[in-house]
Amino acid sequence: MSDLYLGLISGTSADGIDAALVDFADGQARLVFGRTYPWDPALRAQLVALGQQGASLSLDAIAELDVRVARAFAEAANLALADSGTAAAAVRAIGSHGQTLRHRPWGPYPFTLQLGDPSTLAERTSITVVADLRRRDIAAGGHGAPLLPGLHAALLRAPDEDRAVLNLGGIANLTLLPARGQVRGFDTGPANALMDAWCLRHLAEDFDRGGAFASRGQVDASLLERLLDDPWFTQPPPKSTGRDHFHLGWVEARLRGDEAPADVQATLNALTARTVANALMATQPDTRRVIACGGGVHNPRLMAALAAALPDARVESTVAHGLDPDHVEAMGFAWLARQTLLGLPGNLPSVTGAAGPRVLGGIYPA
């Protein structure tokens, strides 16, 4: 008997709405269907601008955007059901991440804010929705991120070697899976978000297809050192970040002004590889296998830079382990929805820094 959940997420890059239909029958996690559905271009441009802190909105406009994002998520969910030939009644719940507007889990009043009204999503899909999956962890003193190391451990841990799972979304994050010992995880810094934004500015393209733009340039060593000098990179885990910190303004503040655009792109590519490698060597230096997922897997320039920066580890895609790298994260939000409906914790305190395990999110019945 099937045990179907639908995971929905639009990540930091806002490059599309990922939908993953997952069957958890017999305690497994089998991807039944996965697809990425495009944003309306005008809506995506607004979301990216907000993420880059390049625009501001009134309270009314933010509330309207909350509903617009939810309607886009509902459309993606309904298309996924139609495209996979799945009836809404067969899906126990949707796990919806929404679109992050702000993520600031520090200071006297830590918060995170994702757009995508779950009531609208439940109403338009006729499926129970589990959403707002980060704030309970933050209320418990955690960072609300990363939330997927529990699933990574269940699917990819091995008893004979230290492994790491590397998600190369807009932001890069690591899940540390030692052969023995505690699972840990944290953000390492920018992955695709800065490269995508720089590519959009200079080529009017949403991302650097195949790493071609970066391949035309040379790494600017002095710029790379100025980027690496940000104190955030040396903060110990637990830690998380987003476009709030790593946006184009952050890059521009470190430019001399005479850099060739392709050289900056090559340097941003190198920044991702260096910060991932530095973080891994500082926290799990005996890692022998790095298993990568997310959109960055399709950038051969980035994957080559990671392999060069981690010569003692094998860097490979989740494809080698039977998992589609484009849909691992959406699968994770299907898993989180199931955890919540079962009354089980979704966070790992060793990852987020929360005071303890917590059942995450709110349930919005069909």
Side-chain angles (χ1 to χ4, degrees), residues 12 50-51 53 97 99-107 109-115 133-139 142-147 171 187 232 238-246 352:
T12 309
L50 284 169
Q53 298 186 331
H97 175 268
Q99 180 67 52
T100 297
L101 182 62
R102 289 288 185 270
H103 183 72
R104 292 177 177 162
W106 55 83
Y109 304 104
F111 71 90
T112 189
L113 178 61
Q114 284 76 40
L115 298 177
L133 286 155
R134 296 193 185 276
R135 290 203 293 180
R136 182 59 187 274
D137 184 86
I138 287 179
H143 275 251
L147 290 181
I171 297 296
D187 289 352
W232 188 90
K239 62 180 183 177
S240 59
T241 191
R243 287 186 190 270
D244 294 56
H245 190 104
F246 294 109
T352 67

Side-chain angles (χ1 to χ4, degrees), residues 202-258:
H202 291 279
L203 299 183
E205 297 286 345
D206 289 338
F207 64 99
D208 187 3
R209 192 177 302 277
F213 187 23
S215 295
R216 299 207 302 266
Q218 298 293 323
V219 174
D220 183 327
S222 62
L223 173 59
L224 180 58
E225 290 307 313
R226 293 195 297 275
L227 296 172
L228 287 167
D229 196 43
D230 189 310
W232 188 90
F233 292 121
T234 56
Q235 290 178 16
K239 62 180 183 177
S240 59
T241 191
R243 287 186 190 270
D244 294 56
H245 190 104
F246 294 109
H247 48 79
L248 278 186
W250 179 85
V251 176
E252 290 163 345
R254 290 156 175 81
L255 297 178
R256 295 186 308 270
D258 59 350

Side-chain angles (χ1 to χ4, degrees), residues 160-176:
D160 58 347
E161 66 179 2
D162 289 354
R163 292 180 169 185
V165 179
L166 172 61
N167 177 42
L168 293 168
I171 297 296
N173 55 69
L174 281 168
T175 297
L176 307 182

Side-chain angles (χ1 to χ4, degrees), residues 8 25 64 79 120 129 150 273 289 300 307:
L8 296 174
E64 290 176 1
L79 284 170
T120 296
V129 172
R289 192 178 302 269

